[in-house]
Amino acid sequence: MQNLISITVDTQLEKAIIEKINELKAMLPQGLITLTDAEKSVLPKMGDKSLGFVEKCLDAATSNPAVCPSFVDLEESRKDLDMFMFLNRVQRALAQVNGPINDSATLAGSEAYAASLSVYNLSKDAARRGVPGAKSIYADLSNRFPGRSKAVKE
């Protein structure tokens, strides 16, 4: 089994990082919201390709009020666009930190899980072969094995 990640982090560093994250959260503008997956799924999404379209529409509506529906608040729409641009820049900056964190967490978890599966499978084999103490170890691990609901009978 190849070990691709081997990093030790002390509690002081973890505490300092969490404090900095909390400082960052406190700096964010008030009023940011959290959407459910269902709410997100029904919203039209703006990205790099649609950004130019949105800017052109807002410019057209500003310079030609006749093409702006009465229910569209241009000032609010500009504020929304400015907030999108701000948050998009923040997202890109955070992605440079979050990407390696997510990938490293995935790899570290995978390596720990793969090692645990090896222990589990060896305990299972040892229990079948009658190795002393292996049956109780395997029974305990079987109770905790993801997706398993039955205990191993002694």
Side-chain angles (χ1 to χ4, degrees):
M1 184 179 324
Q2 186 177 11
N3 189 37
L4 300 174
I5 190 166
S6 180
I7 301 170
T8 302
V9 178
D10 65 25
T11 55
Q12 295 280 66
L13 178 58
E14 181 180 350
K15 184 179 175 185
I17 290 170
I18 298 299
E19 284 176 16
K20 294 292 183 189
I21 292 170
N22 288 333
E23 287 176 26
L24 175 62
K25 285 193 299 193
M27 291 174 62
L28 291 171
Q30 296 298 309
L32 295 180
I33 62 164
T34 302
L35 298 171
T36 66
D37 289 341
E39 290 169 325
K40 289 179 205 176
S41 71
V42 298
L43 293 175
K45 313 294 187 294
M46 184 164 73
D48 292 337
K49 290 182 180 178
S50 53
L51 177 59
F53 171 76
V54 170
E55 290 173 325
K56 286 280 187 194
C57 285
L58 293 180
D59 288 345
T62 301
S63 52
N64 301 294
V67 300
C68 183
S70 60
F71 56 85
V72 172
D73 184 335
L74 281 177
E75 186 178 328
E76 278 300 315
S77 296
R78 290 251 180 235
K79 281 174 57 178
D80 291 341
L81 178 59
D82 289 344
M83 179 55 76
F84 171 81
M85 301 287 283
F86 162 73
L87 292 173
N88 202 18
R89 289 188 298 270
V90 171
Q91 282 177 320
R92 282 195 301 266
L94 287 174
Q96 295 175 11
V97 175
N98 204 32
I101 288 173
N102 286 339
D103 292 347
S104 297
T106 298
L107 184 56
S110 176
E111 289 181 356
Y113 188 55
S116 297
L117 287 173
S118 296
V119 169
Y120 175 76
N121 288 325
L122 185 60
S123 72
K124 182 179 182 179
D125 187 53
R128 267 188 266 159
R129 295 174 187 268
V131 173
K135 245 185 194 173
S136 64
I137 292 170
Y138 176 63
D140 184 42
L141 294 177
S142 292
N143 285 331
R144 298 170 195 279
F145 190 77
R148 302 280 190 212
S149 59
K150 296 182 196 172
V152 175
K153 294 181 181 179
E154 301 244 359

